[in-house]
Amino acid sequence: MLNGSGIKIFTGTSHPELAEIIARRLGLTLGKASVTKSSIGETDVCIFESVREDDVYIINTGSDKPTSVNTSLMEMCIMIHACKIASAKRITAVMPLFPYARQDKKDKSRAPITAKLVANMLVKAGCDHLITMDLHASQIQGFFDVPLYAEPSAILYIRSHFNLQDVVIVSPDAGGAKRATSIADRLGVDFALFHKERKKANEVSRMVLVGHVKDKIAILVDDMADTCGTLCLAAHHLSEAGVRTVDGRPQVFAIVTHGILSGNALKNVEESALEKLIVTNTLPQGENQKMCAKIEVIDIGNVLGEVIRRSHYGESVSKLFHEVPY
C-alpha cells in the first residue's frame, strides 16, 4: 500500500474497472479527471488535480469496447500530454493490451510497422515508461520498458484447477510454441502443437496436430483470442484426437491473455468443443460473460498494481515474470 503523496493514477474510458482494481491494490483513489468526446468526435481531457512533481500512471487498454482502439490510443496520448505540460515528474502509460501489436513487422512491400509508430506517438506525447502485457511478438519488447507476462497467472490457474498428471499443454500454432513449451516445462507436463495453413488473415484452412493428447485434458494457450476461429478449430481436432471426456463432453480448455472476442467469436465459442475459454481482464469481459457461459476471467489487476508499486519505489519487477503477487 502506498497511502501517500507523490503518485497519481488516472484512467481513460476503455477499462475503468481494471483501474479501480489497481487503485484498490495500492490503497489509493483514482485521480480526478474527465475524458469526454465533442459533437464532432474530438477527445477532450481535463485533469482536475495537481500533478506537479508527481509520479503519474495512466491506465487505458487497446479495447474495441466500449471505446474504439483509436479513441483509446488518442485518450492516452492526450492525457500524457496534459500531465506533461502540468509538470508531472514521471509519466507511465499502463496499456495491458497494446494497440496495433499485430502490426509489428514489414511483411510486404510498403507495409507500415504500426506498432513502432504507436510507440513513437506515446514517447512524443511525453511518456517516460510503458507497462504492457503479453506482446503479440517478442521483437516489440525493444520498444518498451516493462513488458509483462500473464504466464504466472495461467500457471497458478492450471495448478489450482487441474491434476497435472492428466494435462497436456497445446499451442494452436507454431508461433506460440515457445510460450506453450515454457508453461509445459514449468508445470512438468506434456506438450503438443498444431501446424496451421491460412487461406488469408484470420481464416485457417487446415490444421495438423503434432503430439499425443489421447485420454488427456488438453489446455490450449495463446496470447490473444480474436475471432476464435483457430481455437475452435483446434478444439474440434483435439476432440477427434481422443482427449478425455466427461459426460460426453471433451475436456478441452483454452487460456488466453487478451480476450478480444470480435465478430462471431462468442457464438463460435458457445458452439465449439471448448469446455471453457479462460481469459484475463486486460480487456473488459463483463458483457462477454453474460453472453457466453463458457467464458471465465482471471484477474491480473493485482499483478499490474504490484508492478506500479515496484516501479514507484525503484524495486525490481523481474520477480513478477515468474510468480503471482499476493
Side-chain angles (χ1 to χ4, degrees):
M1 242 181 228
L2 297 177
N3 287 333
S5 60
I7 182 168
K8 296 284 173 67
I9 298 178
F10 296 97
T11 180
T13 61
S14 67
H15 204 346
E17 300 91 348
L18 180 60
E20 288 281 0
I21 292 169
I22 292 170
R24 277 201 306 272
R25 162 81 184 190
L26 297 171
L28 299 172
T29 56
L30 289 174
K32 296 180 177 64
S34 74
V35 182
T36 56
K37 193 176 278 193
S38 72
S39 58
I40 60 170
E42 293 180 348
T43 299
D44 184 29
V45 169
C46 192
I47 308 294
F48 293 124
E49 58 187 83
S50 173
V51 294
R52 182 176 295 276
E53 291 302 306
D54 281 330
D55 190 9
V56 175
Y57 294 83
I58 303 170
I59 300 163
N60 226 23
T61 195
S63 173
D64 65 334
K65 306 167 206 170
T67 56
S68 72
V69 174
N70 292 336
T71 298
S72 178
L73 177 58
M74 281 307 299
E75 285 179 6
M76 178 61 83
C77 289
I78 295 171
M79 292 182 82
I80 290 170
H81 178 67
C83 292
K84 188 72 174 179
I85 62 175
S87 301
K89 185 178 182 179
R90 185 177 71 163
I91 302 168
T92 302
V94 183
M95 305 185 82
L97 172 57
F98 188 76
Y100 293 95
R102 284 177 282 188
Q103 297 184 31
D104 59 290
K105 59 184 177 291
K106 193 177 179 69
D107 55 355
K108 53 184 178 289
S109 297
R110 297 171 297 281
I113 307 175
T114 316
K116 177 61 175 172
L117 171 64
V118 171
N120 289 342
M121 287 170 63
L122 294 169
V123 171
K124 287 292 185 184
C127 180
D128 296 299
H129 299 282
L130 188 138
I131 296 170
T132 188
M133 183 161 272
D134 269 14
L135 290 163
H136 185 62
S138 57
Q139 64 263 28
I140 318 179
Q141 290 180 15
F143 304 162
F144 312 116
D145 300 282
V146 190
L148 294 171
Y149 302 95
E151 184 178 300
S153 299
I155 288 171
L156 179 63
Y157 181 93
I158 294 169
R159 283 190 190 280
S160 57
H161 288 77
F162 300 98
N163 182 346
L164 295 184
Q165 293 179 339
D166 302 328
V167 165
V168 59
I169 301 296
V170 184
S171 173
D173 56 33
K178 188 175 180 181
R179 179 186 303 106
T181 51
S182 174
I183 291 175
D185 288 345
R186 288 179 64 184
L187 291 170
V189 301
D190 291 335
F191 161 74
L193 68 81
F194 281 99
H195 169 68
K196 67 182 179 183
E197 298 171 358
R198 291 185 183 272
K199 291 178 183 174
K200 55 185 180 181
N202 284 356
E203 191 175 317
V204 179
S205 58
R206 194 166 75 95
M207 297 183 77
V208 179
L209 178 63
V210 181
H212 300 286
V213 298
K214 189 168 178 61
D215 298 325
K216 292 277 192 177
I217 297 172
I219 302 177
L220 291 153
V221 294
D222 209 351
D223 65 323
M224 59 177 65
D226 190 349
T227 60
C228 293
T230 300
L231 286 177
C232 293
L233 190 56
H236 172 71
H237 284 299
L238 287 168
S239 66
E240 290 189 334
V243 295
R244 176 176 297 186
T245 60
V246 174
D247 297 329
R249 299 194 311 272
Q251 294 300 284
V252 180
F253 299 80
I255 299 181
V256 176
T257 306
H258 307 298
I260 299 171
L261 305 178
S262 65
N264 292 324
L266 296 177
K267 182 171 179 284
N268 293 340
V269 170
E270 196 65 58
E271 295 174 355
S272 74
L274 283 171
E275 180 72 9
K276 271 186 186 177
L277 171 61
I278 300 108
V279 300
T280 72
N281 59 340
T282 57
L283 294 168
Q285 298 295 342
E287 288 301 313
N288 292 334
Q289 283 185 288
K290 290 177 186 175
M291 296 169 66
C292 180
K294 289 186 177 182
I295 292 176
E296 189 171 326
V297 178
I298 298 173
D299 178 23
I300 48 88
N302 286 344
V303 176
L304 292 169
E306 180 62 12
V307 170
I308 290 173
R309 189 195 68 78
R310 287 170 178 256
S311 173
H312 179 65
Y313 286 119
E315 299 174 11
S316 171
V317 298
S318 59
K319 184 179 180 183
L320 301 179
F321 293 172
H322 307 291
E323 61 185 66
V324 179
Y326 290 102

